[in-house]
Amino acid sequence: MKSKKWALLMALTLVLSMFLAACGGKKEEEKPAVDGDKEDDQATEQTHGKDEAGEPDAEQVLYLAESAAIPSVDSSIVEDAVGFNVLNNINEGLYRLNQENIAEPAMAAEEADVSEDGLVYTFKLRDAMWADETPVTAHDFVYAWQRAIDPATGSPYGPFMMSGVVKNATEISEEKMEVSELGVKAVDDKTFEVTLERPVPYFLSLMSFGTFYPLKEEFVKAKADAYATNSDGLLSNGPFVLTNWDGTGDSWTFKKNEHYWDADNVKLDEIHVNVVKDSATAVKLYKDGKLDRAGVSGDLAMQYLEDPEAVIQEETSVFYFKFNQERDGAKTPLANENIRKAIAKAFEKQDMADVVLANGSLPANFIVPTNFAFDESGKDFRDLSGDHLVYNVEEAQEHWKKGLEELGVDSLNLEILGGDTELSKKMDEYFKAQLEGNLEGLTISLKEVPFAVRLELDGKQDYDIQVSGWGPDFQDPISFLDLFVTDGTNNLMSYSNPEYDKLIADSKGDLALKPEARYEAFAKAEKILLEDDAAIAPIYQRGLIFLHKPHFKGLVDHPFGADYSFKWAYISGKK
């Protein structure tokens, strides 16, 4: 990983536990890389074009691709990478990650004033405007935060981010207190005050995250059910505004927000985005000069690996099978531990990474990624925790035999829920061939749907096995491990283990400021989750290969939160 990013984030590791319970990551789609699609981070400097001198061209129009449509741009509702990336470029919170990936004041005019006991943060707002030329006020933040924590909103991130952090957030999310009792208030139009449950030394790093962006109450309520359902239902306060988005279509446009407080530093006038679900089409468009960035995978990745315009990115997104143990109110065959272990060990991950993906991805025998979290001495968490659920056909078949006997059957029909991109379909076919070939009596059916549909089915727990992915919003093992606690908002597979829950709870409590013991607790938790229970089956840690036009400069990739920012991007020397 980029050393200065890690140097910054390493400082957070020992104290993040105060708020890590409320943080998570982005639900990911298994897909070819597309424009700026880092999802989380990469191994080398990826501020594209940042160190290359060049004056901006007269025409500042960028052409990019996404591999999925936008599920939502409602800051209270968004829960996926595509949505957060859009949100990050059209809106802005109290803080924003800058080009060095350091959180700096954005809507805030200056650094926050913090009380001596570390419980009260006071933010003075700058004279910033919404795109309708009305001022951004402290009331906009109060409304947005209260809306996100309100159980009636159904926000996946509000309770996840605020509980245990902002005063009374937990009680409000559990409907034990009124929304108005959340620890936020507008002292006046330009002063926003936040009261915490306990001192959170790096609370400010959360202030760049989309859930904490302001919302203009008058606009949201006037739009009612139409709010954030299309371009007309959005109001921006960030570098760009979103246009030409009908809420369901496969294209949209970012246009420079002339009313943005820092508009002078925004060079791009327009960014045209189209959904392109297969890398072959994206590469053709790139070669024809119709895209400025395109992701490649599989055979194409190997073909273009040595291309001078190729950019290789190592990521921290991890993909895995979710085993749903309860569906429609009844236990599924995946509630059987031996069945889960059999499937987890019955497919060859190295071939998946090298042949099917062929984009720098790594086979994963873990959930916490490599080159991501480090202890005080700089030792990778992976060296502490080791490998789990390694490919082993013999062991898989032993578990399979035991599992079938325990269930009293001699065969099983299971469905894999996956994506509808070209790469997703290739992966699913690979899984089907491997699992059916190695586990006698197993029949796999494939259900391949758009990302938004998969999110919906996941929320309803309407699947057997799901190809799922997660990318962190901060650098700490709990960003992944907290997903699987009993009744967690992102569990959604009826997994429960009291010992696992206690280890995660202890990491936020008694062990919070004991880094060595905390990491040992994480290692034990990962072993329980994978080796002991096989609650999920890790598949791969994603890598991506892009073709990136030399004239496309200044794209900033972020190590957590949204994946990238266009604020500083520009076109220079386009031929």
Side-chain angles (χ1 to χ4, degrees):
M1 304 293 287
K2 183 165 104 177
S3 60
K4 57 188 172 186
K5 287 183 182 178
W6 292 131
L8 163 68
L9 292 171
M10 275 294 289
L12 306 183
T13 302
L14 302 184
V15 292
L16 277 170
S17 57
M18 295 296 187
F19 64 79
L20 292 182
C23 297
K26 300 173 291 298
K27 289 182 179 177
E28 303 283 16
E29 181 174 19
E30 69 287 350
K31 57 186 177 180
V34 289
D35 78 76
D37 238 346
K38 174 190 66 64
E39 304 299 358
D40 300 288
D41 201 11
Q42 57 284 332
T44 56
E45 173 68 63
Q46 291 297 340
T47 306
H48 302 290
K50 176 182 168 186
D51 298 322
E52 300 175 19
E55 289 298 317
D57 293 351
E59 184 179 72
Q60 290 293 306
V61 181
L62 195 62
Y63 296 89
L64 301 174
E66 256 295 4
S67 67
I70 303 170
S72 176
V73 196
D74 183 337
S75 62
S76 301
I77 300 301
V78 64
E79 59 177 329
D80 70 291
V82 177
F84 276 120
N85 289 336
V86 173
L87 195 64
N88 177 60
N89 285 288
I90 66 172
N91 287 92
E92 191 166 86
L94 293 164
Y95 280 58
R96 170 179 284 277
L97 294 183
N98 65 16
Q99 290 162 288
E100 303 301 323
N101 284 301
I102 296 172
E104 65 180 11
M107 287 295 102
E110 57 193 29
E111 295 291 345
D113 179 71
V114 186
S115 63
E116 287 188 11
D117 61 7
L119 294 178
V120 180
Y121 283 68
T122 304
F123 299 90
K124 293 291 185 180
L125 304 188
R126 68 173 71 251
D127 292 327
M129 291 191 296
W130 292 101
D132 65 358
E133 299 186 65
T134 58
V136 177
T137 72
H139 304 283
D140 299 330
F141 284 95
V142 171
Y143 173 69
W145 291 30
Q146 289 180 341
R147 182 173 182 265
I149 198 64
D150 188 344
T153 302
S155 171
Y157 261 90
F160 202 50
M161 297 292 277
M162 294 189 209
S163 294
V165 177
V166 181
K167 186 176 181 180
N168 299 333
T170 300
E171 291 78 7
I172 294 168
S173 69
E174 295 173 350
E175 300 186 70
K176 297 176 181 178
M177 297 181 73
E178 297 297 319
V179 171
S180 59
E181 296 179 83
L182 185 67
V184 296
K185 71 176 180 179
V187 178
D188 54 48
D189 284 351
K190 292 297 181 181
T191 308
F192 178 56
E193 184 180 282
V194 182
T195 302
L196 306 183
E197 286 283 3
R198 60 180 68 84
V200 180
Y202 285 86
F203 173 71
L204 295 177
S205 69
L206 287 175
M207 295 299 95
S208 64
F209 193 76
T211 305
F212 296 99
Y213 288 178
L215 291 172
K216 184 178 176 181
E217 182 175 8
E218 180 184 358
F219 181 87
V220 175
K221 290 186 173 179
K223 292 295 181 179
D225 291 342
Y227 174 67
T229 59
N230 53 43
S231 296
D232 292 335
L234 292 167
L235 185 61
S236 301
N237 72 320
F240 299 91
V241 296
L242 189 66
T243 66
N244 301 323
W245 179 58
D246 66 5
T248 59
D250 288 343
S251 65
W252 55 88
T253 302
F254 295 99
K255 289 189 176 181
K256 181 176 178 178
N257 181 5
E258 299 295 345
H259 302 297
Y260 176 53
W261 71 272
D262 198 24
D264 288 347
N265 283 316
V266 179
K267 305 304 180 187
L268 291 173
D269 293 319
E270 294 182 2
I271 305 167
H272 297 276
V273 183
N274 284 280
V275 174
V276 180
K277 294 186 177 181
D278 67 278
S279 60
T281 301
V283 170
K284 185 179 186 304
L285 291 169
Y286 180 89
K287 290 298 182 181
D288 289 345
K290 296 178 181 179
L291 286 179
D292 294 300
R293 184 172 166 96
V296 292
S297 58
D299 294 340
L300 285 172
M302 291 184 276
Q303 178 182 341
Y304 286 101
L305 184 60
E306 301 302 323
D307 191 291
E309 294 182 1
V311 176
I312 302 173
Q313 295 184 184
E314 178 187 318
E315 296 200 327
T316 51
S317 297
V318 175
F319 287 76
Y320 49 92
F321 282 148
K322 287 179 70 173
F323 294 134
N324 189 13
Q325 299 186 34
E326 185 175 356
R327 189 174 186 180
D328 298 325
K331 292 289 185 180
T332 74
L334 294 162
N336 182 280
E337 180 182 304
N338 277 306
I339 296 296
R340 298 194 303 270
K341 288 181 176 178
I343 295 172
K345 296 180 180 182
F347 61 95
E348 171 57 86
K349 303 174 189 180
Q350 191 69 56
D351 286 348
M352 162 68 75
D354 293 346
V355 180
V356 181
L357 298 171
N359 58 4
S361 293
L362 304 172
N365 297 309
F366 46 76
I367 185 61
V368 179
T370 186
N371 282 333
F372 170 65
F374 305 87
D375 65 15
E376 288 184 300
S377 66
K379 185 178 182 180
D380 194 322
F381 177 75
R382 291 269 39 91
D383 294 331
L384 173 65
S385 188
D387 287 340
H388 307 285
L389 296 178
V390 177
Y391 172 63
N392 188 312
V393 175
E394 184 177 335
E395 290 184 6
Q397 291 173 343
E398 289 176 3
H399 287 301
W400 184 249
K401 182 180 180 181
K402 290 178 183 178
L404 292 179
E405 290 175 353
E406 290 165 355
L407 293 173
V409 300
D410 57 11
S411 64
L412 284 177
N413 295 303
L414 295 171
E415 178 185 84
I416 293 180
L417 174 63
D420 65 344
T421 66
E422 174 198 31
L423 182 60
S424 299
K425 292 177 180 179
K426 287 182 179 179
M427 288 171 54
D428 292 347
E429 290 292 345
Y430 178 84
F431 294 138
K432 178 179 173 66
Q434 286 275 299
L435 295 175
E436 289 183 346
N438 290 329
L439 300 176
E440 184 178 357
L442 175 61
T443 300
I444 294 290
S445 59
L446 303 177
K447 186 171 185 176
E448 295 160 336
V449 300
F451 188 41
V453 176
R454 204 170 83 223
L455 288 176
E456 181 181 353
L457 293 172
D458 180 61
K460 295 177 180 178
Q461 249 181 265
D462 188 10
Y463 66 92
D464 291 332
I465 302 170
Q466 181 185 171
V467 182
S468 187
W470 192 259
D473 289 322
F474 48 87
Q475 187 192 17
D476 192 275
I478 205 170
S479 179
F480 290 88
L481 297 173
D482 203 30
L483 298 174
F484 308 107
V485 296
T486 301
D487 296 328
T489 56
N490 285 285
N491 185 313
L492 299 175
M493 56 184 186
S494 296
Y495 171 66
S496 179
N497 184 309
E499 184 181 359
Y500 181 88
D501 293 345
K502 185 178 187 305
L503 288 166
I504 299 304
D506 288 347
S507 74
K508 305 169 189 173
D510 294 342
L511 303 181
L513 298 179
K514 300 175 182 178
E516 184 176 348
R518 188 168 179 264
Y519 264 47
E520 289 176 356
F522 285 147
K524 290 178 183 177
E526 188 180 49
K527 180 179 181 297
I528 291 171
L529 179 73
L530 302 180
E531 199 70 39
D532 296 351
D533 292 349
I536 60 172
I539 304 170
Y540 69 97
Q541 179 176 338
R542 189 166 62 192
L544 296 173
I545 298 177
F546 299 102
L547 294 176
H548 186 105
K549 294 291 186 184
H551 60 249
F552 177 15
K553 304 179 187 296
L555 175 67
V556 178
D557 294 309
H558 299 304
F560 53 88
D563 299 324
Y564 52 84
S565 290
F566 296 128
K567 175 176 177 176
W568 302 278
Y570 62 100
I571 304 296
S572 179
K574 185 174 183 178
K575 298 176 182 179

